[in-house]
């Protein structure tokens, strides 16, 4: 996070709150504060000796800093709380947010200075509860004794606090969420679901990030159209163009990259609620409603490429014989040039073998991010993700599974299983009866095909693409699938909106139910509803048999 950006956002269009300008009213805490996950909180304090502001001595409406435990007066007195945040913001060397969270000793509400809002998040609940116990004299004798035993540990030298105990068992949300769709944001804000998540600030993908996957010519064309608001959609896409089409697409790409990287770094699962789909976009052009391939961009940012032994080819080869370098198939002039380059920079000529472990360390140090080798994509959208399949069709690191409409324009058949190194790492399940299948049929496919592959492939990350477009499937069906996948050991899970998002505004209940499953508030794992496998659609049974027959060549779970 950037200090200057935080300061600019804080002071731009800011109306200073005073007793005169603050009109009061109902306070609705913000559940999407992106700073709460980065703040280093203390969990427990013994008691507060002196309830005065440490700067001016005021005892009226003081606030306790949740990072260092110092007391400061509010904006209605001398505003020393905000001054404390601004000072720590300038000296914060980690996330550039400073001591931004503070709690009122009057009503135990929590304020975030960068957000300029009261906030709510379950990570703060244990601390709020403990401060409440101190305020009302409810701190148990056992807690006092435990704190006395650790009297010499974790002391904070402050006139405000006698004792601070830091513990590692603080309650943290396990889900990271990013919301680009304002309608979905408004709907979720009316529930308490977002308080069980960490949120991140949305941003646009950089050009450097985009060209790591897409061709530079294509990216330059789209960025130019975005900048100049040119309508090129008729030639390349099947979308209703407006002035925000391409800027929204870049936002969706940036959001997807950030959520996937955050999940690997410090979370268990993630939920990506974007407005611009991407799974049909190819490397060098968009497709249908897809501009950038969001999922592939996110994957490429964390995928560690396997090192492969150098193979002998018929191309020009350097030969070192008694310090003389010749190039097979080259002219004398070309040989002379190579020899001169060798004399000037010999280290750059010889292709010394590099150990794969060393290259991994170098890559990690340069990018400063976690990377993995095995990723499973499960495409539950109604249309086939032809872009994702094309990009990873020859890869054995990304396994792509698609359950889609057999009659869709971008359909792919069951015998299309990959190519070269990727042979067996693509599974297509085309259904002619997709508009007729129900929860039981869909769960049967998951149990017979998806879960066996998941267990044998052992992915480090599972990405599930959804658009909730299949009318017959209930929200509970999606939640059951998500819960099953979240139980795969040693794997993290990301759910992303993709595919046909035209009806997402009417499927907000699906979003709420899936999010409830992700954060652990809803469990359907033991539901008997889908245990009856006798009444399965005939087309589903036939396609499952065909897929098993094709993939048993590559995977023992289908033999």
């Amino acid at each position: 996070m950037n200090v200057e950006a935080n300061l600019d956002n804080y002071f731009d269009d800011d109306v200073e709150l005073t007793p005169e300008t603050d009109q009061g009213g109902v306070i609705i805490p913000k559940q999407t504060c992106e700073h709460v996950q980065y703040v280093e909180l203390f969990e427990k304090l013994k008691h507060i000796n002196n309830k005065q502001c440490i700067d001016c001595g005021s005892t009226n409406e003081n606030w306790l800093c949740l990072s260092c435990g110092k007391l400061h007066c509010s904006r209605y007195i001398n505003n020393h709380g905000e001054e404390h945040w601004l000072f720590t913001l300038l000296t914060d060397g980690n996330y550039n947010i400073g001591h931004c969270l503070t709690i009122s000793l009057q009503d135990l509400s929590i304020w975030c200075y960068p957000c300029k809002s009261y906030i709510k998040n379950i990570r703060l609940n244990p601390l709020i509860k403990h401060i409440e116990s101190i305020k009302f004299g409810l701190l148990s004798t056992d807690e006092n004794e435990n704190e006395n035993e650790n009297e010499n540990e974790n002391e904070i030298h402050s006139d405000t606090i006698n004792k601070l105990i830091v513990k590692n068992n603080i309650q943290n949300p396990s889900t990271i969420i990013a919301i680009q769709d304002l309608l979905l944001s408004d709907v979720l804000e009316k529930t308490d679901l977002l308080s069980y998540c960490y949120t991140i600030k949305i941003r646009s993908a950089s050009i450097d990030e985009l060209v790591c996957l897409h061709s530079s010519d294509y990216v330059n064309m789209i960025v130019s159209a975005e900048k100049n608001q040119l309508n090129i959609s008729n030639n390349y896409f099947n979308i209703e163009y407006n002035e925000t089409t391409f800027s929204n697409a870049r936002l969706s790409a940036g959001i997807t990259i950030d959520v996937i990287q955050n999940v690997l770094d410090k979370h268990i699962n993630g939920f990506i609620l974007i407005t611009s789909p991407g799974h049909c976009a190819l490397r060098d052009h968009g497709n249908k409603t897809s501009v950038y391939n969001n999922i592939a961009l996110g994957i490429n940012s964390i995928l560690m490429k396997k090192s492969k032994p150098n193979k002998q080819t018929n191309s020009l080869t350097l030969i070192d014989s008694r310090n003389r370098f010749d190039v097979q198939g080259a002219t004398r002039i070309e040989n002379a040039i190579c020899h001169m380059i060798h004399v000037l920079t010999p280290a750059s000529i010889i292709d010394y073998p590099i150990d794969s472990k060393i290259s991994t360390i170098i890559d990690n140090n340069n990018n400063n991010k976690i990377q993995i080798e095995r990723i499973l994509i499960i495409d539950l959208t109604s249309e086939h993700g032809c872009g994702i399949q094309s990009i990873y069709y020859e890869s054995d690191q990304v396994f792509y599974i698609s359950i889609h409409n057999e009659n869709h324009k971008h359909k792919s058949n069951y015998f299309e299983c990959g190519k070269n190194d990727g042979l067996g790492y693509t599974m297509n399940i085309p259904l002619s009866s997709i508009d007729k299948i129900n929860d039981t049929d869909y769960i049967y496919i998951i149990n017979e095909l998806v879960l066996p592959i998941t267990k044998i492939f052992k992915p480090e990350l599972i990405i599930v693409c959804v658009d909730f477009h299949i009318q017959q499937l209930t929200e509970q069906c999606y939640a059951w699938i998500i819960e099953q996948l979240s139980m795969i050991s040693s794997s993290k899970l990301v759910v992303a909106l993709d595919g046909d998002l035209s009806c997402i505004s009417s499927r907000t209940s699906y979003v709420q139910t899936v999010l409830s499953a992700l954060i652990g508030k809803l469990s359907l794992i033991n539901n008997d509803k889908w245990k009856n496998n006798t009444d399965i659609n005939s087309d589903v049974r036939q396609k499952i048999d065909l897929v098993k027959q094709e993939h048993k060549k590559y995977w023992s779970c289908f033999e």
Side-chain angles (χ1 to χ4, degrees):
M1 294 187 180
N2 185 276
V3 175
E4 290 79 5
N6 270 326
L7 289 173
D8 289 343
N9 292 337
Y10 189 72
F11 291 112
D12 284 351
D13 303 321
D14 188 26
V15 178
E16 184 178 0
L17 288 176
T18 66
E20 290 74 28
T21 60
D22 189 351
Q23 301 299 318
V26 177
I27 299 296
I28 302 177
K30 180 181 180 181
Q31 299 183 57
T32 55
C33 169
E34 64 264 24
H35 311 101
V36 66
Q37 63 176 309
Y38 302 111
V39 176
E40 186 174 345
L41 303 173
F42 63 79
E43 186 182 2
K44 291 187 178 182
L45 57 97
K46 183 178 178 181
H47 55 268
I48 302 174
N49 271 352
N50 191 345
K51 297 184 179 180
Q52 296 179 348
C53 171
I54 64 172
D55 291 324
C56 65
S58 172
T59 58
N60 296 323
E61 198 181 342
N62 286 332
W63 292 69
L64 182 72
C65 174
L66 294 185
S67 293
C68 66
K70 294 179 180 178
L71 273 177
H72 296 91
C73 59
S74 75
R75 58 181 180 263
Y76 297 144
I77 310 300
N78 293 313
N79 206 21
H80 286 132
E82 183 179 331
E83 290 180 6
H84 171 68
W85 167 64
L86 291 173
F87 175 78
T88 57
L89 175 63
L90 296 174
T91 57
D92 184 356
N94 294 323
Y95 299 104
N96 297 322
I97 57 175
H99 296 184
C100 63
L101 300 186
T102 182
I103 185 170
S104 168
L105 294 184
Q106 285 192 338
D107 59 8
L108 303 181
S109 57
I110 293 181
W111 178 266
C112 175
Y113 286 107
C115 289
K116 293 186 281 189
S117 173
Y118 294 98
I119 66 167
K120 178 182 180 182
N121 190 279
I122 62 167
R123 185 188 179 204
L124 306 173
N125 290 352
L127 188 53
I128 296 173
K129 185 176 181 181
H130 190 80
I131 295 175
E132 181 182 26
S133 299
I134 295 174
K135 178 177 179 179
F136 295 105
L138 301 176
L139 192 64
S140 68
T141 304
D142 291 340
E143 286 179 306
N144 276 316
E145 289 176 356
N146 290 335
E147 286 165 354
N148 288 332
E149 290 175 1
N150 296 281
E151 181 111 0
N152 296 321
E153 298 179 6
N154 303 312
E155 288 191 7
I156 299 257
H157 300 290
S158 167
D159 295 332
T160 308
I161 299 177
N162 269 0
K163 184 64 185 171
L164 181 64
I165 303 296
V166 180
K167 293 190 175 181
N168 294 323
N169 62 345
I170 191 165
Q171 186 177 6
N172 284 317
S174 61
T175 302
I176 186 85
I177 189 170
I179 310 173
Q180 184 182 5
D181 191 309
L182 295 178
L183 172 64
L184 293 178
S185 179
D186 291 341
V187 170
L188 292 174
E189 282 279 12
K190 295 176 182 177
T191 71
D192 68 338
L193 296 176
L194 293 179
S195 67
Y196 289 82
C197 308
Y198 284 141
T199 58
I200 58 175
K201 191 172 184 178
I202 63 175
R203 67 165 182 92
S204 297
S206 67
I207 294 178
D208 287 342
E209 288 172 323
L210 295 174
V211 297
C212 285
L213 174 73
H214 295 288
S215 69
S216 57
D217 289 342
Y218 174 67
V219 171
N220 288 334
M221 179 188 68
I222 299 300
V223 172
S224 176
E226 174 189 341
K227 182 178 179 180
N228 300 304
Q229 296 185 1
L230 301 176
N231 184 0
I232 61 172
S233 60
N234 293 334
N235 297 328
Y236 295 92
F237 312 104
N238 178 22
I239 54 178
E240 293 183 9
Y241 173 82
N242 60 56
E243 61 183 12
T244 64
T245 297
F246 297 127
S247 58
N248 282 339
R250 192 131 71 106
L251 274 173
S252 295
I255 290 169
T256 305
I257 292 171
D258 284 352
V259 170
I260 288 176
Q261 290 182 354
N262 269 271
V263 166
L264 287 187
D265 185 24
K266 62 186 68 173
H267 302 290
I268 295 176
N269 54 53
F271 203 2
I272 304 172
L273 302 176
I274 54 175
T275 59
S276 179
H279 72 165
C280 287
L282 304 175
R283 290 185 184 273
D284 56 355
H285 66 83
N287 208 338
K288 203 172 184 288
T289 59
S290 300
V291 179
Y292 302 116
N293 200 309
N294 309 313
I295 298 299
L297 284 165
I299 289 175
N300 279 18
S301 72
I302 50 92
L303 185 64
M304 181 189 300
K305 300 294 176 62
K306 290 182 180 179
S307 58
K308 297 180 180 180
N310 293 329
K311 298 180 180 179
Q312 293 293 331
T313 64
N314 294 324
S315 59
L316 298 181
T317 307
L318 291 173
I319 301 175
D320 182 9
S321 176
R322 296 182 181 180
N323 295 327
R324 180 173 175 271
F325 273 76
D326 291 327
V327 180
Q328 291 180 351
T331 66
R332 291 182 179 181
I333 295 176
E334 289 170 337
N335 271 329
I337 293 173
C338 285
H339 179 69
M340 181 176 63
I341 295 173
H342 168 61
V343 171
L344 296 174
T345 56
S348 66
I349 296 296
I350 304 175
D351 185 19
Y352 293 105
I354 299 176
D355 185 83
S356 60
K357 294 181 179 178
I358 297 177
S359 63
T360 297
I361 294 173
I362 293 174
D363 192 64
N364 281 337
N365 286 339
N366 286 339
N367 294 299
N368 194 27
K369 62 190 177 186
I370 298 174
Q371 293 188 305
I372 57 177
E373 293 186 347
R374 296 182 311 282
I375 299 170
L376 173 66
I377 305 172
I378 305 173
D379 195 339
L380 304 183
T381 64
S382 57
E383 60 184 30
H384 181 257
C386 55
I388 295 179
Q389 174 170 305
S390 172
I391 291 168
Y392 298 113
Y393 202 60
E394 298 186 38
S395 172
D396 61 354
Q397 293 183 263
V398 179
F399 200 125
Y400 177 64
I401 301 177
S402 174
I403 307 173
H404 57 271
N405 188 348
E406 188 176 44
N407 300 316
H408 190 266
K409 177 182 178 182
H410 299 293
K411 66 181 179 181
S412 193
N413 221 319
Y414 68 89
F415 50 77
E416 296 180 43
C417 302
K419 184 180 178 182
N420 296 333
D421 290 343
L423 193 59
Y425 290 86
T426 295
M427 178 182 288
N428 284 296
I429 311 167
L431 301 173
S432 60
S433 59
I434 197 164
D435 293 330
K436 300 178 181 178
I437 66 171
N438 55 30
D439 290 356
T440 305
D441 298 321
Y442 222 67
I443 298 299
Y444 190 64
I445 295 173
I446 300 297
N447 281 327
E448 292 294 310
L449 296 176
V450 177
L451 293 182
I453 282 293
T454 304
K455 292 175 183 177
I456 198 169
F457 180 60
K458 300 185 186 306
E460 297 162 89
L461 174 66
I462 301 173
I463 300 176
V464 182
C465 302
V466 294
D467 58 6
F468 308 122
H469 199 69
I470 304 175
Q471 299 293 329
Q472 285 71 29
L473 297 185
T474 67
E475 53 210 65
Q476 289 77 20
C477 175
Y478 287 102
W480 184 92
I481 295 171
I482 297 305
E483 188 176 4
Q484 280 281 4
L485 296 173
S486 67
M487 297 172 65
I488 303 298
S489 60
S490 303
S491 180
K492 296 191 175 185
L493 177 66
V494 171
V495 180
L497 289 186
D498 212 325
D500 186 350
L501 303 182
S502 59
C503 66
I504 199 66
S505 59
S506 63
R507 315 292 271 183
T508 55
S509 62
Y510 283 70
V511 174
Q512 294 181 55
T513 303
V514 168
L515 181 55
S516 297
L518 280 173
I519 64 179
K521 289 195 71 175
L522 174 67
S523 179
L524 297 169
I525 207 72
N526 296 318
N527 195 320
D528 294 333
K529 175 181 178 181
W530 299 293
K531 290 184 179 180
N532 179 19
N533 296 332
T534 58
D535 189 22
I536 302 298
N537 184 288
S538 59
D539 176 49
V540 170
R541 286 189 181 276
Q542 180 189 21
K543 293 301 167 47
I544 288 176
D545 290 341
L546 290 172
V547 171
K548 283 183 176 181
Q549 188 69 22
E550 194 66 33
H551 276 270
K552 72 178 184 179
K553 310 171 193 174
Y554 318 111
W555 301 100
S556 59
C557 57
F558 298 132
E559 291 180 354

mmCIF file of all heavy atoms in Angstrom, residues 396-418:
data_model
loop_
_atom_site.group_PDB
_atom_site.id
_atom_site.type_symbol
_atom_site.label_atom_id
_atom_site.label_comp_id
_atom_site.label_asym_id
_atom_site.label_seq_id
_atom_site.Cartn_x
_atom_site.Cartn_y
_atom_site.Cartn_z
ATOM 1 N N ASP A 396 0.995 -29.923 -18.231
ATOM 2 C CA ASP A 396 0.682 -30.941 -17.229
ATOM 3 C C ASP A 396 0.646 -30.355 -15.825
ATOM 4 O O ASP A 396 0.612 -31.074 -14.838
ATOM 5 C CB ASP A 396 1.687 -32.092 -17.295
ATOM 6 C CG ASP A 396 3.119 -31.633 -17.026
ATOM 7 O OD1 ASP A 396 3.341 -30.404 -16.905
ATOM 8 O OD2 ASP A 396 4.019 -32.488 -16.945
ATOM 9 N N GLN A 397 0.665 -29.010 -15.739
ATOM 10 C CA GLN A 397 0.614 -28.345 -14.431
ATOM 11 C C GLN A 397 -0.770 -27.783 -14.125
ATOM 12 O O GLN A 397 -1.103 -27.564 -12.965
ATOM 13 C CB GLN A 397 1.641 -27.217 -14.384
ATOM 14 C CG GLN A 397 3.078 -27.689 -14.430
ATOM 15 C CD GLN A 397 4.046 -26.520 -14.305
ATOM 16 O OE1 GLN A 397 4.553 -26.003 -15.289
ATOM 17 N NE2 GLN A 397 4.297 -26.103 -13.082
ATOM 18 N N VAL A 398 -1.541 -27.550 -15.164
ATOM 19 C CA VAL A 398 -2.898 -27.007 -14.993
ATOM 20 C C VAL A 398 -3.885 -28.012 -15.575
ATOM 21 O O VAL A 398 -3.880 -28.294 -16.770
ATOM 22 C CB VAL A 398 -3.056 -25.645 -15.691
ATOM 23 C CG1 VAL A 398 -4.486 -25.130 -15.514
ATOM 24 C CG2 VAL A 398 -2.051 -24.643 -15.137
ATOM 25 N N PHE A 399 -4.723 -28.579 -14.707
ATOM 26 C CA PHE A 399 -5.754 -29.535 -15.120
ATOM 27 C C PHE A 399 -7.058 -28.770 -15.279
ATOM 28 O O PHE A 399 -7.535 -28.131 -14.343
ATOM 29 C CB PHE A 399 -5.903 -30.635 -14.066
ATOM 30 C CG PHE A 399 -6.565 -31.891 -14.582
ATOM 31 C CD1 PHE A 399 -5.930 -33.112 -14.457
ATOM 32 C CD2 PHE A 399 -7.812 -31.859 -15.181
ATOM 33 C CE1 PHE A 399 -6.521 -34.283 -14.919
ATOM 34 C CE2 PHE A 399 -8.417 -33.005 -15.663
ATOM 35 C CZ PHE A 399 -7.762 -34.228 -15.530
ATOM 36 N N TYR A 400 -7.638 -28.823 -16.475
ATOM 37 C CA TYR A 400 -8.878 -28.094 -16.757
ATOM 38 C C TYR A 400 -10.031 -29.062 -16.940
ATOM 39 O O TYR A 400 -9.988 -29.970 -17.778
ATOM 40 C CB TYR A 400 -8.714 -27.244 -18.012
ATOM 41 C CG TYR A 400 -9.977 -26.513 -18.428
ATOM 42 C CD1 TYR A 400 -10.534 -25.535 -17.605
ATOM 43 C CD2 TYR A 400 -10.613 -26.814 -19.630
ATOM 44 C CE1 TYR A 400 -11.696 -24.875 -17.976
ATOM 45 C CE2 TYR A 400 -11.759 -26.147 -20.023
ATOM 46 C CZ TYR A 400 -12.304 -25.181 -19.181
ATOM 47 O OH TYR A 400 -13.461 -24.526 -19.547
ATOM 48 N N ILE A 401 -11.094 -28.892 -16.135
ATOM 49 C CA ILE A 401 -12.316 -29.697 -16.231
ATOM 50 C C ILE A 401 -13.475 -28.764 -16.551
ATOM 51 O O ILE A 401 -13.671 -27.746 -15.873
ATOM 52 C CB ILE A 401 -12.607 -30.447 -14.917
ATOM 53 C CG1 ILE A 401 -11.442 -31.380 -14.554
ATOM 54 C CG2 ILE A 401 -13.907 -31.229 -15.016
ATOM 55 C CD1 ILE A 401 -11.620 -32.098 -13.226
ATOM 56 N N SER A 402 -14.256 -29.104 -17.568
ATOM 57 C CA SER A 402 -15.385 -28.264 -17.960
ATOM 58 C C SER A 402 -16.649 -29.100 -18.103
ATOM 59 O O SER A 402 -16.666 -30.106 -18.819
ATOM 60 C CB SER A 402 -15.091 -27.554 -19.283
ATOM 61 O OG SER A 402 -16.230 -26.846 -19.735
ATOM 62 N N ILE A 403 -17.701 -28.675 -17.401
ATOM 63 C CA ILE A 403 -19.038 -29.251 -17.582
ATOM 64 C C ILE A 403 -19.850 -28.194 -18.319
ATOM 65 O O ILE A 403 -20.134 -27.130 -17.766
ATOM 66 C CB ILE A 403 -19.698 -29.588 -16.231
ATOM 67 C CG1 ILE A 403 -18.775 -30.457 -15.372
ATOM 68 C CG2 ILE A 403 -21.036 -30.284 -16.442
ATOM 69 C CD1 ILE A 403 -19.289 -30.683 -13.956
ATOM 70 N N HIS A 404 -20.198 -28.459 -19.574
ATOM 71 C CA HIS A 404 -20.789 -27.396 -20.372
ATOM 72 C C HIS A 404 -21.853 -27.937 -21.331
ATOM 73 O O HIS A 404 -22.032 -29.147 -21.477
ATOM 74 C CB HIS A 404 -19.699 -26.676 -21.172
ATOM 75 C CG HIS A 404 -18.914 -27.582 -22.068
ATOM 76 N ND1 HIS A 404 -17.792 -28.244 -21.646
ATOM 77 C CD2 HIS A 404 -19.089 -27.951 -23.375
ATOM 78 C CE1 HIS A 404 -17.302 -28.970 -22.628
ATOM 79 N NE2 HIS A 404 -18.087 -28.819 -23.694
ATOM 80 N N ASN A 405 -22.510 -26.993 -21.948
ATOM 81 C CA ASN A 405 -23.565 -27.298 -22.910
ATOM 82 C C ASN A 405 -22.945 -27.851 -24.195
ATOM 83 O O ASN A 405 -22.110 -27.210 -24.830
ATOM 84 C CB ASN A 405 -24.367 -26.029 -23.215
ATOM 85 C CG ASN A 405 -25.600 -26.298 -24.047
ATOM 86 O OD1 ASN A 405 -25.769 -27.392 -24.598
ATOM 87 N ND2 ASN A 405 -26.465 -25.307 -24.158
ATOM 88 N N GLU A 406 -23.358 -29.057 -24.593
ATOM 89 C CA GLU A 406 -22.820 -29.690 -25.788
ATOM 90 C C GLU A 406 -23.152 -28.898 -27.048
ATOM 91 O O GLU A 406 -22.429 -28.970 -28.047
ATOM 92 C CB GLU A 406 -23.363 -31.118 -25.908
ATOM 93 C CG GLU A 406 -22.715 -31.936 -27.001
ATOM 94 C CD GLU A 406 -23.222 -33.365 -27.016
ATOM 95 O OE1 GLU A 406 -24.459 -33.552 -26.881
ATOM 96 O OE2 GLU A 406 -22.398 -34.283 -27.144
ATOM 97 N N ASN A 407 -24.216 -28.132 -27.009
ATOM 98 C CA ASN A 407 -24.648 -27.379 -28.187
ATOM 99 C C ASN A 407 -24.137 -25.940 -28.190
ATOM 100 O O ASN A 407 -24.550 -25.125 -29.005
ATOM 101 C CB ASN A 407 -26.184 -27.362 -28.252
ATOM 102 C CG ASN A 407 -26.758 -28.765 -28.352
ATOM 103 O OD1 ASN A 407 -26.263 -29.597 -29.108
ATOM 104 N ND2 ASN A 407 -27.800 -29.039 -27.570
ATOM 105 N N HIS A 408 -23.235 -25.634 -27.261
ATOM 106 C CA HIS A 408 -22.691 -24.281 -27.193
ATOM 107 C C HIS A 408 -21.740 -24.027 -28.358
ATOM 108 O O HIS A 408 -21.109 -24.951 -28.887
ATOM 109 C CB HIS A 408 -21.960 -24.076 -25.859
ATOM 110 C CG HIS A 408 -21.578 -22.657 -25.606
ATOM 111 N ND1 HIS A 408 -20.343 -22.159 -25.941
ATOM 112 C CD2 HIS A 408 -22.269 -21.626 -25.066
ATOM 113 C CE1 HIS A 408 -20.283 -20.883 -25.605
ATOM 114 N NE2 HIS A 408 -21.431 -20.533 -25.075
ATOM 115 N N LYS A 409 -21.623 -22.753 -28.755
ATOM 116 C CA LYS A 409 -20.776 -22.379 -29.899
ATOM 117 C C LYS A 409 -19.334 -22.842 -29.690
ATOM 118 O O LYS A 409 -18.684 -23.311 -30.620
ATOM 119 C CB LYS A 409 -20.830 -20.862 -30.091
ATOM 120 C CG LYS A 409 -19.921 -20.351 -31.202
ATOM 121 C CD LYS A 409 -19.995 -18.833 -31.298
ATOM 122 C CE LYS A 409 -19.042 -18.326 -32.374
ATOM 123 N NZ LYS A 409 -19.063 -16.844 -32.464
ATOM 124 N N HIS A 410 -18.820 -22.693 -28.465
ATOM 125 C CA HIS A 410 -17.429 -23.056 -28.181
ATOM 126 C C HIS A 410 -17.352 -24.409 -27.480
ATOM 127 O O HIS A 410 -16.535 -24.603 -26.581
ATOM 128 C CB HIS A 410 -16.780 -21.978 -27.315
ATOM 129 C CG HIS A 410 -16.746 -20.631 -27.966
ATOM 130 N ND1 HIS A 410 -15.985 -20.369 -29.076
ATOM 131 C CD2 HIS A 410 -17.409 -19.486 -27.679
ATOM 132 C CE1 HIS A 410 -16.157 -19.107 -29.436
ATOM 133 N NE2 HIS A 410 -17.014 -18.551 -28.621
ATOM 134 N N LYS A 411 -18.177 -25.346 -27.916
ATOM 135 C CA LYS A 411 -18.197 -26.657 -27.281
ATOM 136 C C LYS A 411 -16.871 -27.392 -27.504
ATOM 137 O O LYS A 411 -16.111 -27.098 -28.429
ATOM 138 C CB LYS A 411 -19.347 -27.490 -27.835
ATOM 139 C CG LYS A 411 -19.187 -27.841 -29.313
ATOM 140 C CD LYS A 411 -20.391 -28.644 -29.807
ATOM 141 C CE LYS A 411 -20.226 -28.966 -31.290
ATOM 142 N NZ LYS A 411 -21.372 -29.726 -31.805
ATOM 143 N N SER A 412 -16.599 -28.353 -26.647
ATOM 144 C CA SER A 412 -15.422 -29.196 -26.792
ATOM 145 C C SER A 412 -15.833 -30.607 -26.418
ATOM 146 O O SER A 412 -16.581 -30.812 -25.448
ATOM 147 C CB SER A 412 -14.298 -28.704 -25.881
ATOM 148 O OG SER A 412 -13.083 -29.314 -26.208
ATOM 149 N N ASN A 413 -15.362 -31.604 -27.151
ATOM 150 C CA ASN A 413 -15.847 -32.954 -26.962
ATOM 151 C C ASN A 413 -15.053 -33.709 -25.909
ATOM 152 O O ASN A 413 -13.966 -33.310 -25.519
ATOM 153 C CB ASN A 413 -15.821 -33.715 -28.281
ATOM 154 C CG ASN A 413 -17.050 -34.584 -28.464
ATOM 155 O OD1 ASN A 413 -17.492 -35.223 -27.510
ATOM 156 N ND2 ASN A 413 -17.596 -34.595 -29.668
ATOM 157 N N TYR A 414 -15.623 -34.851 -25.483
ATOM 158 C CA TYR A 414 -15.033 -35.622 -24.394
ATOM 159 C C TYR A 414 -13.677 -36.210 -24.755
ATOM 160 O O TYR A 414 -12.856 -36.473 -23.878
ATOM 161 C CB TYR A 414 -15.994 -36.742 -23.968
ATOM 162 C CG TYR A 414 -16.179 -37.824 -25.001
ATOM 163 C CD1 TYR A 414 -15.346 -38.940 -25.032
ATOM 164 C CD2 TYR A 414 -17.173 -37.729 -25.967
ATOM 165 C CE1 TYR A 414 -15.511 -39.926 -25.992
ATOM 166 C CE2 TYR A 414 -17.345 -38.699 -26.934
ATOM 167 C CZ TYR A 414 -16.517 -39.801 -26.942
ATOM 168 O OH TYR A 414 -16.668 -40.769 -27.890
ATOM 169 N N PHE A 415 -13.416 -36.425 -26.049
ATOM 170 C CA PHE A 415 -12.139 -37.029 -26.449
ATOM 171 C C PHE A 415 -11.015 -35.994 -26.593
ATOM 172 O O PHE A 415 -9.891 -36.346 -26.920
ATOM 173 C CB PHE A 415 -12.293 -37.815 -27.755
ATOM 174 C CG PHE A 415 -12.967 -37.059 -28.870
ATOM 175 C CD1 PHE A 415 -12.275 -36.100 -29.589
ATOM 176 C CD2 PHE A 415 -14.286 -37.317 -29.191
ATOM 177 C CE1 PHE A 415 -12.888 -35.402 -30.609
ATOM 178 C CE2 PHE A 415 -14.911 -36.622 -30.216
ATOM 179 C CZ PHE A 415 -14.216 -35.661 -30.932
ATOM 180 N N GLU A 416 -11.314 -34.721 -26.378
ATOM 181 C CA GLU A 416 -10.274 -33.690 -26.369
ATOM 182 C C GLU A 416 -9.663 -33.652 -24.973
ATOM 183 O O GLU A 416 -10.205 -33.034 -24.057
ATOM 184 C CB GLU A 416 -10.863 -32.339 -26.763
ATOM 185 C CG GLU A 416 -11.396 -32.316 -28.190
ATOM 186 C CD GLU A 416 -11.977 -30.971 -28.569
ATOM 187 O OE1 GLU A 416 -11.359 -29.939 -28.238
ATOM 188 O OE2 GLU A 416 -13.055 -30.947 -29.185
ATOM 189 N N CYS A 417 -8.528 -34.297 -24.810
ATOM 190 C CA CYS A 417 -7.954 -34.535 -23.483
ATOM 191 C C CYS A 417 -6.615 -33.845 -23.264
ATOM 192 O O CYS A 417 -5.974 -34.054 -22.226
ATOM 193 C CB CYS A 417 -7.767 -36.036 -23.255
ATOM 194 S SG CYS A 417 -9.275 -36.996 -23.401
ATOM 195 N N GLY A 418 -6.163 -33.033 -24.199
ATOM 196 C CA GLY A 418 -4.870 -32.394 -24.067
ATOM 197 C C GLY A 418 -3.922 -32.835 -25.162
ATOM 198 O O GLY A 418 -4.261 -33.667 -26.020
#
